[in-house]
Amino acid sequence: MADLMFRAVDELAGMVRSGEISARELVQDSLARIDELNPDINAFVDVFADEALAEADDVDPGDERPYAGVPIAIKNNRAIAGRRLTMAAEFMGDFVPGHDDNVVRRLRAAGFIVVGTTTLPEWGILPVTDTRRFGTTRNPYDPERTPGGSSGGSAAAVASGMVPVAHANDGGGSTRIPAACTGLVGLKPQRGRISLAPVGGGEFLAQDGVLTRTTAETAALLDVLAGYEPGDPAWAPPPAEPFATAAGREPGRLRIAVTTSSPVDAAVPDDDAKRSVRETADLLSGLGHEVVEADPPWGQTGVLELFTASFGPLVSLTVAFAELVNGREMRADETEALSWAIYRLCRDTISSVDAAGALVRLQGFARLVIGWMGPYDALVTPALAEAPVTHGTIDPQSADPMAAFARSGTFTPYTAVFNVTGQPAITVPLLERADGVATPLSVQLVGKPAQEGALLALAAQLETARPWAHRRPAVVTA
């Protein structure tokens, strides 16, 4: 059973339920791998070994909870009662919330055992996980490269087999980007699908989710996490059937648009990014779909600036929470240069009227893109414009922090658009890179609004045609 942490979560839960293995043995295996690998990969902020083992001892064979005894990690930007919530920021200190966020509560109710919390860039801003407070998180496929961000710690933990699944969230690609960097499946669900209760609600960009190895696991866990919570200001319409059921169906013959055109003017997709779309298009055609080359109407001047004008206030709200916790304003020496620059931009330059105006314009942009997708069942784009960047390429402590922020946009130009439109999007690791970089090569699939089931069915069809879950990174095969 040396590969336990690489098995599907449903299989692991079934083993515990049948008595083939105990929950304690599963958790012990996870903790042993964390002890072995985390010193080099640096995926965890905190590990809850004693508590996780004690919780595992309370799980008996026959436990009817769907994932009783299965280890999971939570990104350290969601509250766990009695555990520190840092946002990877020095200014947050060691704040300890008194509640579980909705995603944590739902995962625990399903039987998952939280073994620890994972790293992220400070305040969740960048698509790389490299912080002043906790250091650099490394990609298990190539330690000199990033595992992505902002859910980089969760991605590194799952890809290396420290846990079989981990929580993630996505405000501009922060689930899909690390999935693409580490060969995992990363779904950003429809806006409003997963409640941000009890603290958040109505955020325009952010959505929670998970990082897994297979489409089936992602679909099943969406069923666990999805749904209304009392007080939600808005929520996605419930699906006609469970997402796991929809993902198990053949998608039928679809009309699918493909593009490599970039939403960010300065971003130029490399040869592998272009090949990912070309080969996916060929595979889809071979599966019987109608594939059409078509460029969405997103090459508009100022879209990146508008996104910043909405993303920046989202970051500032998090900082404002930290200021409330600390009882004072944050100082420049208590945060990274990039975080301070964005915070100052929002505080001193972007007025509330500017932010509201940017939101209105982004909503108009979203309607344009979604309207353009009307004739198509799905859209295929590159997941990333280039290979996962080496450490230091995007530096949160740069002397020119906004240049570093712009550089992140040329690395990951294809994801944030769909936080703006709100529609579901998923990255899947279909291919291998041809440029000598060891990381898998992913592609992004985008679905119609509130149609995660159809999107997951398409991803599952691609996975069946070209499986990927068998891959192992260098830290495992060495």
Side-chain angles (χ1 to χ4, degrees), residues 75-460:
K75 184 178 176 180
N76 198 263
N77 68 347
R78 290 292 180 257
I80 301 174
R83 298 297 168 195
R84 66 174 177 164
L85 177 65
T86 71
M87 310 286 184
E90 291 177 358
F91 185 61
M92 276 294 292
D94 292 323
F95 168 70
V96 177
H99 70 280
D100 284 344
D101 270 343
N102 172 58
V103 286
V104 176
R105 178 172 53 80
R106 289 192 179 219
L107 290 167
R108 281 180 156 168
F112 282 105
I113 295 175
V114 178
V115 297
T117 58
T118 56
T119 56
L120 65 154
E122 187 177 70
W123 309 114
I125 295 174
L126 287 175
V128 296
T129 303
D130 184 359
T131 66
R132 186 168 76 177
R133 182 168 189 183
F134 295 121
T136 297
T137 299
R138 300 186 178 278
N139 192 317
Y141 282 91
D142 183 345
E144 297 307 311
R145 294 182 181 272
T146 185
S150 64
S151 307
S154 287
V158 176
S160 61
M162 289 192 259
V163 286
V165 62
H167 161 259
N169 40 43
D170 191 317
S174 290
T175 298
R176 290 162 289 156
I177 293 164
C181 288
T182 59
L184 301 175
V185 176
L187 171 72
K188 181 198 76 66
Q190 171 66 32
R191 178 183 295 132
R193 178 67 67 197
I194 298 172
S195 174
L196 296 172
V199 176
E203 279 83 348
F204 184 57
L205 298 174
Q207 186 66 191
D208 281 288
V210 290
L211 287 160
T212 71
R213 289 191 182 82
T214 68
T215 307
E217 290 171 286
T218 291
L221 293 183
L222 185 58
D223 285 319
V224 168
L225 292 173
Y228 169 81
E229 287 289 315
D232 285 345
W235 57 93
E241 62 182 349
F243 294 111
T245 302
R249 297 187 188 281
E250 285 295 315
R253 188 173 191 267
L254 306 179
R255 190 166 193 254
I256 300 173
V258 300
T259 187
T260 59
S261 78
S262 171
V264 177
D265 290 342
V268 178
D270 69 10
D271 289 343
D272 271 336
K274 294 175 183 176
R275 180 172 62 86
S276 71
V277 171
R278 186 171 63 250
E279 292 196 17
T280 301
D282 290 344
L283 180 57
L284 290 167
S285 294
L287 291 168
H289 301 293
E290 179 187 359
V291 178
V292 180
E293 291 188 21
D295 292 339
W298 55 35
Q300 301 182 34
T301 302
V303 171
L304 180 60
E305 289 75 11
L306 288 174
F307 177 80
T308 302
S310 291
F311 179 75
L314 178 63
V315 173
S316 294
L317 283 174
T318 307
V319 174
F321 172 73
E323 290 181 332
L324 182 65
V325 167
N326 282 280
R328 61 179 178 82
E329 291 187 355
M330 182 175 69
R331 301 190 309 266
D333 63 345
E334 295 175 305
T335 195
E336 294 170 356
L338 175 59
S339 303
W340 183 251
I342 291 177
Y343 178 61
R344 286 288 302 272
L345 176 71
C346 295
R347 190 183 71 179
D348 301 339
T349 305
I350 301 174
S351 70
S352 58
V353 175
D354 292 334
L359 184 59
V360 169
R361 292 173 65 189
L362 283 175
Q363 287 170 335
F365 171 76
R367 290 181 187 276
L368 181 68
V369 173
I370 292 173
W372 173 87
M373 273 199 67
Y376 307 109
D377 298 296
L379 169 67
V380 178
T381 79
L384 307 169
E386 59 188 298
V389 296
T390 55
H391 301 298
T393 302
I394 301 170
D395 181 7
Q397 291 288 78
S398 169
D400 187 354
M402 294 311 292
F405 188 62
R407 178 64 180 88
S408 72
T410 62
F411 169 40
T412 62
Y414 295 99
T415 53
V417 168
F418 304 107
N419 296 85
V420 174
T421 66
Q423 64 202 105
I426 189 171
T427 53
V428 293
L430 270 182
L431 306 164
E432 301 283 354
R433 296 194 66 87
D435 57 6
V437 177
T439 59
L441 178 61
S442 293
V443 69
Q444 179 175 232
L445 312 175
V446 183
K448 285 183 173 292
Q451 295 298 312
E452 293 100 320
L455 182 65
L456 288 161
L458 179 61

